[in-house]
Amino acid sequence: MSAVQVGLSLVIAVPVAVILAVMCWPSADKCAPNPGWFHRAPDYPLSVAEAHRAMQVHRTCSAVDCPRKQAARAVLVGAGRMVPDPRRSY
């Protein structure tokens, strides 16, 4: 392979690898009874926009097991952006 071909391969392969890693990382870090830093409760009150994003990122987590999702859910319920199902217990 020539140097141009190697350079072109890197220009294509590196961004694709980064995109795939970013897309797959949140789902790879599943919630567990002992959550890691990714699932810790935030150190500050979340804004409504941050709460929406946290709910998207932690969509596979249970609100019972994930303190970050619990905090985001509380913000959205408090802001009237989310209405809990009264038939379910959270």
Side-chain angles (χ1 to χ4, degrees):
M1 268 181 127
S2 71
V4 173
Q5 290 173 322
V6 171
L8 184 57
S9 297
L10 288 175
V11 166
I12 294 170
V14 171
V16 169
V18 169
I19 290 168
L20 289 174
V22 169
M23 287 174 54
C24 297
W25 178 65
S27 63
D29 190 9
K30 298 285 188 213
C31 240
N34 183 14
W37 69 269
F38 184 68
H39 301 284
R40 267 196 327 234
D43 297 334
Y44 58 91
L46 295 174
S47 68
V48 172
E50 290 170 324
H52 275 292
R53 181 66 184 140
M55 291 294 283
Q56 291 169 347
V57 170
H58 294 270
R59 69 188 175 278
T60 60
C61 296
S62 164
V64 173
D65 296 330
C66 181
R68 185 156 304 255
K69 188 168 185 174
Q70 286 174 358
R73 184 177 177 282
V75 168
L76 295 176
V77 169
R81 300 288 186 97
M82 181 179 180
V83 179
D85 185 349
R87 298 170 293 177
R88 293 183 63 182
S89 62
Y90 292 94

